[in-house]
Amino acid sequence: MYSFLTTGNWPDYELLDAGNFEKLERFGRYILARPEPQAIWDPHLPASEWQRAHATFTREKGSQERGQWKLKPGMPEQWIINYDQAGLRLRFRLGLSSFKHVGLFPEQDPNWQFIYEQTKRRQATAPRVLNMFAYTGAATLAARAAGADVTHLDSVKQVNFWARDNMEASNLDGVRWLVEDAMKYVRREVKRGSKYQGLILDPPAYGRGPNGEKWQLEDELNEMLKLCKELLDPEDHFFLINLYSLGFSALILENLVSEIFPQSQGQREIGEIYLHDQGQRKLPLGTFCRFSTGG
């Protein structure tokens, strides 16, 4: 089933506008303006609304990612926002990074709900969940809040510290933290015969492991998904993958998943994730696939 996912009514987050390769967002009480390569249309709001931004990110010359934030007086470099949807209550520490990110991808809201609901279905057995490329841990915390035995894996130590801060802010504990190369780890887990009832992946287009291991999405994804099949409990599992890579079609993801996970046919949901602004334009922010069996 091809689907489009977007966030629900979230008081502490709003995409106000997008256009001219920028997006204007509100995180709690603060408004941010930052680059968005897929917003190729004109803004909906007048320039005066964009000038209300408390922080504006400007790229360095010659760089697609690096840059710096210009802050208005009173704008902190870190702050907390709340998330409270359908019984899932979390708190996130946000911060202004030199790569335009703030430590949270709010378009993932419907996937956090999926993780929370799928884990609750299995909470009587404390399902084992592995979250890879886990960043600051929103998906990890969604699983943990529903009672999962969660392993959080990311190759960047500082990001894991950030995720731990979010766990503590959300009054949770008990997450297993790993600073690892994802491919090396799943290969070892397959050899050990490990099984998980939940697997979550949000791999980047490219990246590096803690010891310089190279990750290139189009080169590694096929093998990664084959290894994930070996790790999933064959009788009872859920699976979620999200990709944000320009030009990486959901059809590519569908072909891979159909070949590697044929048993998911009929339960599989695949498509695009987006956010809508005040002008009701839909800003695409990635592709996803998710399915579950048993439970």
Side-chain angles (χ1 to χ4, degrees), residues 17-288:
D17 196 10
N20 285 347
F21 304 99
E22 302 278 336
K23 57 185 174 183
L24 187 70
E25 302 164 283
R26 180 180 58 80
F27 290 91
R29 58 182 291 193
Y30 300 109
I31 297 173
L32 312 183
R34 54 181 174 153
E36 176 47 61
Q38 302 213 84
I40 68 173
W41 48 84
D42 292 334
H44 171 72
L45 297 176
S48 59
E49 289 297 309
W50 285 75
Q51 291 165 4
R52 294 175 55 217
H54 299 92
T56 301
F57 186 89
T58 303
R59 288 194 191 99
E60 291 179 1
K61 187 176 181 180
S63 174
Q64 290 297 314
E65 293 289 337
R66 278 193 172 276
Q68 58 184 0
W69 292 90
K70 182 178 180 181
L71 310 184
K72 286 185 176 178
M75 175 67 200
E77 293 194 2
Q78 296 184 8
W79 71 105
I80 296 284
I81 68 168
N82 296 305
Y83 176 87
D84 186 350
Q85 301 274 61
L88 176 58
R89 296 179 177 86
L90 302 172
R91 285 166 61 81
F92 301 114
R93 174 177 69 79
L94 305 188
L96 303 177
S97 79
S98 60
F99 291 92
K100 81 178 179 179
H101 300 302
V102 298
L104 192 68
F105 296 101
E107 68 273 10
Q108 291 298 313
D109 164 28
N111 280 332
W112 303 336
Q113 290 295 321
F114 172 82
I115 294 163
Y116 183 64
E117 292 162 5
Q118 290 295 324
T119 306
K120 283 182 68 177
R121 287 176 52 195
R122 299 166 170 83
Q123 64 185 173
T125 56
R128 296 185 72 208
V129 174
L130 173 61
N131 184 16
M132 292 181 284
F133 311 97
Y135 194 46
T136 56
T140 294
L141 301 185
R144 183 65 188 136
D149 175 3
V150 189
T151 298
H152 173 110
L153 185 152
D154 197 278
S155 65
V156 181
K157 183 182 295 187
Q158 291 83 358
V159 166
N160 277 7
F161 289 151
W162 196 338
R164 188 187 294 266
D165 287 346
N166 287 335
M167 178 187 71
E168 294 173 354
S170 300
N171 295 315
L172 295 170
D173 59 17
V175 172
R176 182 186 183 210
W177 308 100
L178 292 179
V179 179
E180 276 268 21
D181 176 74
M183 189 69 85
K184 284 185 176 179
Y185 183 75
V186 296
R187 286 172 181 155
R188 292 202 309 272
E189 284 289 85
V190 168
K191 287 182 179 179
R192 287 190 284 247
S194 296
K195 296 296 179 184
Y196 292 86
Q197 288 73 50
L199 287 179
I200 305 163
L201 297 90
D202 193 357
Y206 57 89
R208 294 283 182 179
N211 296 310
E213 302 92 342
K214 184 179 178 181
W215 168 270
Q216 192 78 31
L217 184 66
E218 60 268 28
D219 295 336
E220 312 290 347
L221 186 58
N222 192 17
E223 181 185 355
M224 173 60 80
L225 292 179
K226 290 175 181 177
L227 291 167
C228 285
K229 181 182 180 180
E230 297 298 315
L231 288 181
L232 282 173
D233 181 333
E235 303 299 326
D236 182 17
H237 61 253
F238 71 87
F239 178 83
L240 166 64
I241 181 169
N242 181 78
L243 302 174
Y244 180 75
S245 179
L246 295 180
F248 204 96
S249 167
L251 293 176
I252 297 175
L253 188 54
E254 182 176 28
N255 290 337
L256 286 166
V257 172
S258 297
E259 182 74 19
I260 296 169
F261 302 97
Q263 78 280 6
S264 68
Q265 184 69 32
Q267 301 158 326
R268 188 166 63 235
E269 190 179 6
I270 193 164
E272 295 187 47
I273 295 177
Y274 71 92
L275 290 171
H276 56 83
D277 64 17
Q278 290 185 350
Q280 296 305 307
R281 282 89 54 83
K282 297 178 176 66
L283 176 64
L285 290 168
T287 60
F288 77 96

